Amino acid sequence: MSFDIDWTKIESDAGLNESIKCHLNSYLQSIDLPDYVSNLRILDFSIGKVPPNIILREISDPLDDFYQALNEDIDIDNAKPVERNPNDVQFLTEIEYKGDLLITIAADLVLHYPTKSFMTLPVKLTISNVGIHSLCLIAYLSKQIFVSFLCDVSDSMLDKNESILDTSGSLLAPKRSLERILILRTMKIETEIGEQCQGEGSVLRSVGKLEQFLLENFKEVLRKELSWPSWINLDLSNNDDSNEDFAQRDPTSEDSSI
Amino acid sequence: SAENVEAEQTRQIDAILEKTYYDVNTHPSESLDWFNVLIAQTIQQFREEAWQKDNIVHSLNNFVEKKLHELPSYIDGAKITELDIGDDFPIFSNCRVQYVPNSNRKKLEAKIDIDLNDRLAIGVETKLLLNYPKPATAALPINITVAIVRFQACLTVSLTKAEEFVAPSSPTQENNGSGYFLVFSFAPEYRMDFETESLIGARSKLENIPKIGSLIEYQIKKWFVERCVEPRFQFVRLPSMWPRSKRTWEGKPEAEGSKTS
């Protein structure tokens, strides 16, 4: 690993777990649910005790795409286009995660057998054993951080004899098939439902469908939201600090960092 | 009137040139060899003092330690691991006096070429902190040695009174126009060559990344350009040279020890 990560600071942070839970919940509100499930919500989120392993593979200037994206967002009227600054920087990293992250989800399972909406069952699902081993771009420019997953480290695209960050190469091609991108290597979903229903085949079939639905949905989110040519954009420019750094400055850290 | 003042300034400059036998159009450039020797002596003395204090790296580290609280929060400490103050000397040459361009022959300046072939290096060991979501959540160890190995430039030197210039950073800066100032600046076409070595990461390390070198070179050149590259000038007040008794010294008597024995 390249980064020394002090995970004890994160695992003990109730506020962090709570804010991730809120983010995930607001995402769940936005998706269309199939007719056999309603009231999907995160009950608990725990980031776990095991940190990811992060290896720096390359440090370079950020890709043009990030500048283009920022300039497309700029209001033409008070436009001052974002230009390359020598302080801008981009890391190509290898992120390996096989930690003990745990998400508990509650849902109401709607049974349409023998009649439509015959019964509603509360269920509890736990997501665990999340495994990731991917190449990820992290760019800092114009007080913004961009994070984008490129591909799994075992992706056959990496076998081609071309530079990973070659914008004319296949890895960064703008229209590469999203289907090919695998971010989640493993993920386990377990379901708990009331004991009295264990013997019912049709209940279990609906639970299986729900598990499958969640799995596909998580993969889809990761592909659509986090994978090149998409990215997460964190805007740090509202911080009251004017330093051109690429680590977010926390005002409370003034003393503790020394 | 202003016109008369200007004419008087031009007349004074012309008189100085005539009485010092210097024709700015025909005078050949000078080598400045004598100046190089004196400068080299000064630098030599500085280096000796630096090495006599035994562990200059050690004392620098003490200094850095005292200044730690001034570092930005994303830097975790800093340790000087190497310091090379070089063993060569700058060579000044090709000195010529000319009218300051566009001054209407009212001002004079000396142009001097400078060339330095040496290794001036500093090595630093530090850590870059990620302060999100909590302070010092992750740290990236960094080892950098940056060396300036070549500096070539054209230096402009002149003497002036303060009213000719403004201080761009602090306009309130005290520059009461009395006395003379030595003004110097480098032409923008300077050459500054670096050799940067970097080692980044904890257990798996990246070595000598060009981007890291260019980041550091950019910062150093920015620092330099913002201070002493035209149109910015360095302004140094000259001390009074009038002979005074409190500055009077004399040589030690020779062989004093042998007389008493």
Side-chain angles (χ1 to χ4, degrees), chain A residues 70-90:
Chain A
L70 280 179
N71 283 329
E72 278 162 20
D73 290 344
I74 281 178
D75 177 12
I76 308 282
D77 294 329
N78 49 34
K80 202 170 145 203
V82 177
E83 283 169 359
R84 280 193 177 274
N85 181 309
N87 289 322
D88 298 345
V89 71
Q90 173 179 276

Side-chain angles (χ1 to χ4, degrees), chain A residues 133-153:
Chain A
H133 197 174
S134 292
L135 290 183
C136 181
L137 267 188
I138 302 168
Y140 173 81
L141 55 137
S142 191
K143 291 186 185 149
Q144 319 245 354
I145 292 178
F146 293 83
V147 180
S148 181
F149 281 84
L150 297 182
C151 65
D152 191 89
V153 289

Side-chain angles (χ1 to χ4, degrees), chain B residues 118-244:
Chain B
D118 206 348
R119 187 173 185 276
L120 305 172
I122 185 161
V124 182
E125 192 182 293
T126 183
K127 275 181 186 171
L128 201 64
L129 296 178
L130 187 72
N131 289 326
Y132 182 84
K134 286 239 150 171
T137 298
L140 183 65
I142 295 181
N143 272 287
I144 299 172
T145 302
V146 55
I148 294 176
V149 292
R150 185 77 193 266
F151 178 66
Q152 257 184 325
C154 182
L155 180 64
T156 303
V157 183
S158 63
L159 294 171
T160 189
K161 289 172 183 167
E163 69 260 20
E164 309 281 345
F165 296 86
V166 289
S169 50
S170 53
T172 54
Q173 192 170 303
E174 163 238 353
N175 54 4
N176 51 13
S178 68
Y180 265 97
F181 289 79
L182 176 81
V183 179
F184 71 90
S185 181
F186 293 98
E189 301 81 25
Y190 68 91
R191 169 178 170 187
M192 199 185 267
D193 294 348
F194 293 87
E195 275 173 16
T196 312
E197 289 162 28
S198 58
L199 203 56
I200 294 177
R203 264 142 290 171
S204 69
K205 298 177 196 293
L206 277 179
E207 203 177 335
N208 294 341
I209 304 300
K211 174 67 187 170
I212 297 297
S214 66
L215 265 175
I216 293 167
E217 287 169 29
Y218 170 76
Q219 296 299 340
I220 294 176
K221 286 186 171 171
K222 185 165 176 273
W223 182 91
F224 179 64
V225 166
E226 283 174 357
R227 280 158 185 79
C228 35
V229 174
E230 286 163 28
R232 301 281 172 84
F233 293 86
Q234 279 298 303
F235 228 74
V236 187
R237 182 188 285 277
L238 289 179
S240 161
M241 300 292 267
W242 186 255
R244 299 177 67 174

Side-chain angles (χ1 to χ4, degrees), chain B residues 40-74:
Chain B
Q41 268 189 303
T42 315
I43 293 173
Q44 183 65 38
Q45 196 190 342
F46 163 76
R47 284 188 183 136
E48 271 168 22
E49 279 172 14
W51 292 123
Q52 264 168 23
K53 280 178 198 160
D54 183 29
N55 205 338
I56 184 173
V57 172
H58 192 255
S59 60
L60 243 172
N61 272 324
N62 286 345
F63 176 76
V64 171
E65 215 161 281
K66 279 182 210 142
K67 295 275 175 188
L68 270 186
H69 61 280
E70 291 174 21
L71 287 177
S73 64
Y74 54 91

Side-chain angles (χ1 to χ4, degrees), chain B residues 81-145:
Chain B
T81 53
E82 188 201 334
L83 194 72
D84 191 346
I85 52 177
D87 55 10
D88 221 305
F89 302 104
I91 299 300
F92 296 85
S93 64
N94 193 26
C95 176
R96 59 275 181 201
V97 172
Q98 64 176 34
Y99 292 115
V100 173
N102 306 318
S103 76
N104 202 16
R105 308 199 340 171
K106 289 199 319 271
K107 280 183 271 178
L108 292 173
E109 65 187 13
K111 291 275 223 197
I112 303 164
D113 290 349
I114 173 173
D115 192 355
L116 179 66
N117 249 309
D118 206 348
R119 187 173 185 276
L120 305 172
I122 185 161
V124 182
E125 192 182 293
T126 183
K127 275 181 186 171
L128 201 64
L129 296 178
L130 187 72
N131 289 326
Y132 182 84
K134 286 239 150 171
T137 298
L140 183 65
I142 295 181
N143 272 287
I144 299 172
T145 302

Side-chain angles (χ1 to χ4, degrees), chain A residues 115-135:
Chain A
T115 56
K116 191 163 166 52
S117 301
F118 173 68
M119 198 160 94
T120 300
L121 272 178
V123 291
K124 202 167 99 180
L125 303 109
T126 50
I127 295 178
S128 61
N129 194 27
V130 172
I132 294 171
H133 197 174
S134 292
L135 290 183

